[in-house]
Amino acid sequence: VAGHLKKKMKIEKEDDVAMYDEEEGKDGGAAAQSTQREIIIPKEGFAAIKERMDHRDALRERLIKTCRDGQKAAKQAIFALHRGDSAHALKLLNQCEKCVANDLMPILHEEPNLRGGSFSGVMEEYVEGMLFYTWLQPTRNGDGNNDNGGSELPSGRILMHDELKLPVSPEEYLGGLCDLSGEIGRYAVARGTKRDRDAVKVCLDTNRSMYMALKMIGRLPGNCNKKVNALSKSVEKLERVMYELSLMEMTGRREFASSMEDETAAAEGNEKGED
């Protein structure tokens, strides 16, 4: 009898376990189905994200292509200034301004994150062109001390950030300011070949002043630190140009030679390529 009772109790226990497992299986399956329904993301949401990304890519491509037109106009304006064609240079700079204001700024208003890269390159080139144009505006040197009997010296005036027509960021302004030193150096060599010592001195004073101002700022953004190093070398080269001109005056030597002449020749080659 005792054995029969034990056997009956064992069977009843096994039946209870089986019933419990079956109920657990049902509950677990329902929970899994409920979780699966919860993690499904509507296709409409992903379609909207893809549409937004595609639209941003299209805006980016349009901005890059348009930036080429604005940057080319600013570069050609700088070349025109080296040729002494200020009127054409101003026309090209105005063309660059219209390109930025009418074609590029609307894209940035829609996608502000696209401001860097190509757009900043256009703005730096524009800043460089406007600064060079203003710096070159002549002041009459009537003392007649130069061999050419007196020349129109550059005013040496540097436009400040808030004097520009376009909304230039501080980083873009500083980048264009650093690049200006290279154009001033090339102009100095051109004037040195004409033995225009006063004009070369204006160039040296300007680059030296820019270098000291930038060093006072301290930590500079982006790649401005590399540009400041180039500015420092430009100051050294202009000092050598002034020294060579002084030697020419003392010795009567008529040939002018400077290491910066190679840079001027390279710039002229780039100009022909751009044209």
Side-chain angles (χ1 to χ4, degrees):
V1 174
H4 178 72
L5 290 174
K6 288 181 179 180
K7 185 176 181 180
K8 184 178 180 181
M9 290 175 63
K10 182 177 181 181
I11 293 173
E12 290 177 349
K13 185 176 180 181
E14 290 176 351
D15 291 342
D16 291 341
V17 171
M19 290 177 63
Y20 176 78
D21 290 342
E22 184 177 355
E23 292 177 357
E24 280 292 315
K26 291 180 179 179
D27 293 342
Q33 292 178 1
S34 175
T35 304
Q36 186 177 8
R37 285 195 297 268
E38 290 177 359
I39 64 173
I40 293 176
I41 300 177
K43 294 182 179 179
E44 294 79 5
F46 268 99
I49 292 174
K50 182 180 184 303
E51 182 179 356
R52 179 58 180 162
M53 292 174 63
D54 291 342
H55 180 63
R56 186 179 185 277
D57 288 341
L59 288 177
R60 179 175 175 274
E61 290 298 323
R62 181 152 62 93
L63 180 136
I64 291 173
K65 292 179 181 178
T66 309
C67 281
R68 295 187 187 126
D69 297 333
Q71 192 165 15
K72 182 178 179 180
K75 281 182 178 292
Q76 289 181 338
I78 294 173
F79 295 148
L81 289 171
H82 280 296
R83 295 194 301 265
D85 193 351
S86 297
H88 185 54
L90 184 59
K91 181 179 178 181
L92 289 167
L93 289 170
N94 289 335
Q95 181 179 328
C96 179
E97 289 176 352
K98 291 179 181 179
C99 176
V100 172
N102 299 335
D103 300 329
L104 295 177
M105 292 308 297
I107 298 177
L108 291 185
H109 289 154
E110 188 172 351
E111 283 289 346
N113 292 332
L114 294 177
R115 182 170 186 109
S118 297
F119 180 81
S120 291
V122 175
M123 298 302 280
E124 288 187 12
E125 201 75 37
Y126 165 75
V127 170
E128 182 184 359
M130 285 300 302
L131 293 182
F132 194 36
Y133 174 83
T134 304
W135 181 85
L136 280 173
Q137 294 309 296
T139 57
R140 183 67 182 174
N141 175 30
D143 58 10
N145 288 335
N146 295 340
D147 286 356
N148 57 4
S151 65
E152 290 185 337
L153 294 176
S155 65
R157 178 173 178 263
I158 300 295
L159 278 178
M160 296 307 296
H161 171 266
D162 56 358
E163 294 181 274
L164 296 166
K165 294 181 181 180
L166 294 178
V168 178
S169 70
E171 293 81 3
E172 293 161 352
Y173 175 80
L174 292 176
L177 180 67
C178 291
D179 292 337
L180 173 66
S181 65
E183 308 306 332
I184 291 177
R186 284 185 274 275
Y187 175 83
V189 172
R191 298 313 304 169
T193 57
K194 297 184 180 298
R195 308 181 73 171
D196 190 349
R197 191 172 184 274
D198 291 339
V200 175
K201 187 177 186 305
V202 174
C203 297
L204 174 59
D205 291 343
T206 301
N207 278 9
R208 186 181 285 159
S209 176
M210 286 194 298
Y211 176 74
M212 296 304 296
L214 290 169
K215 294 298 287 184
M216 286 176 61
I217 293 178
R219 184 177 180 181
L220 295 170
N223 62 345
C224 283
N225 286 316
K226 294 182 180 179
K227 294 185 177 183
V228 170
N229 292 335
L231 174 55
S232 175
K233 294 179 180 178
S234 176
V235 171
E236 295 175 359
K237 291 176 181 178
L238 288 177
E239 289 174 343
R240 289 199 295 271
V241 171
M242 285 293 295
Y243 176 71
E244 290 175 7
L245 289 174
S246 298
L247 286 179
M248 289 175 64
E249 290 181 359
M250 290 186 295
T251 62
R253 178 167 57 89
R254 303 193 63 83
E255 294 182 0
F256 175 80
S258 171
S259 59
M260 295 186 74
E261 286 184 296
D262 294 337
E263 298 179 8
T264 304
E268 291 174 352
N270 291 335
E271 177 181 353
K272 293 179 182 178
E274 289 289 339
D275 292 343

